Amino acid sequence: MTLPRLSTLGGLKEGDLYIERPADQALLDALERGEYAYVLSSRQTGKTSLMSRTLRKLSAKGYRCARIDLGGLGSVADPNEWYLSLAVEIAGEVGCEDSFAPASFAATRHLTPVQRFIRFLRSLVAQSTSPLVIFMDEIENFLKLPMRVTDDFLTAVRSLYND
């Protein structure tokens, strides 16, 4: 019998010791009901581990899930590049062809960056009857981007959720 490892840094790996909290079930239940959910807490309190475990549970139930590290997108100041980079990451996470996001953005080049992103997400959702859940981690890095990107993005998320 292999004992679980104690991990104290970063997201947990399979087999690491994890103590479930009420937040684990609450997050899973909210996402299964199609609710918008966010987890706010200080650094190194298990948010990434909670996200990873919830993602695995939803994936096992047939959900299409994407895990995006917003810090990994960098601090590109051009909104077109930032939204396209985000779309490429999301599409890759759910198994789309490499050309899916660029083709979607190219077809809507007459629209604003946020409109292009919204159209991309709508076409991604339309590809399957399986629910799509997008997890975003390291949001503090995202908040360092120019306000025109952060404000538009958060407004788009609200708009998509309302739809």
Side-chain angles (χ1 to χ4, degrees):
M1 176 175 147
T2 305
L3 294 175
R5 295 182 313 260
L6 179 61
S7 178
T8 58
L9 182 63
L12 294 177
K13 282 103 184 133
E14 200 65 40
D16 285 352
L17 179 63
Y18 184 83
I19 298 171
E20 285 210 16
R21 303 165 282 183
D24 290 72
Q25 193 60 49
L27 178 60
L28 182 63
D29 291 345
L31 293 174
E32 287 180 327
R33 287 190 304 268
E35 295 177 9
Y36 173 79
Y38 57 92
V39 178
L40 297 175
S41 187
S42 56
R43 294 188 56 73
Q44 302 299 316
T45 57
K47 296 180 302 294
T48 299
S49 298
L50 172 62
M51 177 186 60
S52 296
R53 290 175 53 85
T54 304
L55 185 147
R56 281 196 297 273
K57 289 177 182 179
L58 289 172
S59 293
K61 293 180 176 190
Y63 285 69
R64 294 180 300 155
C65 298
R67 177 183 173 186
I68 307 302
D69 179 343
L70 291 175
L73 295 179
S75 58
V76 174
D78 178 62
N80 285 307
E81 292 175 17
W82 191 83
Y83 281 106
L84 177 57
S85 297
L86 179 58
V88 165
E89 291 297 314
I90 292 170
E93 284 284 310
V94 297
C96 290
E97 293 183 21
D98 291 344
S99 62
F100 181 76
S104 174
F105 270 61
T108 56
R109 78 176 116 253
H110 60 286
L111 300 175
T112 67
V114 72
Q115 287 175 311
R116 296 164 89 184
F117 182 69
I118 289 171
R119 296 271 177 103
F120 157 78
L121 286 176
R122 286 185 176 141
S123 63
L124 186 62
V125 167
Q127 281 191 330
S128 173
T129 58
S130 297
L132 173 66
V133 177
I134 301 171
F135 293 89
M136 297 199 178
D137 202 7
E138 301 298 333
I139 198 156
E140 65 273 7
N141 293 311
F142 159 77
L143 295 173
K144 295 175 187 173
L145 293 171
M147 188 173 285
R148 70 181 191 271
V149 174
T150 58
D151 285 356
D152 284 352
F153 177 74
L154 295 173
T155 300
V157 169
R158 185 184 67 226
S159 174
L160 286 163
Y161 175 71
N162 288 339
D163 285 350

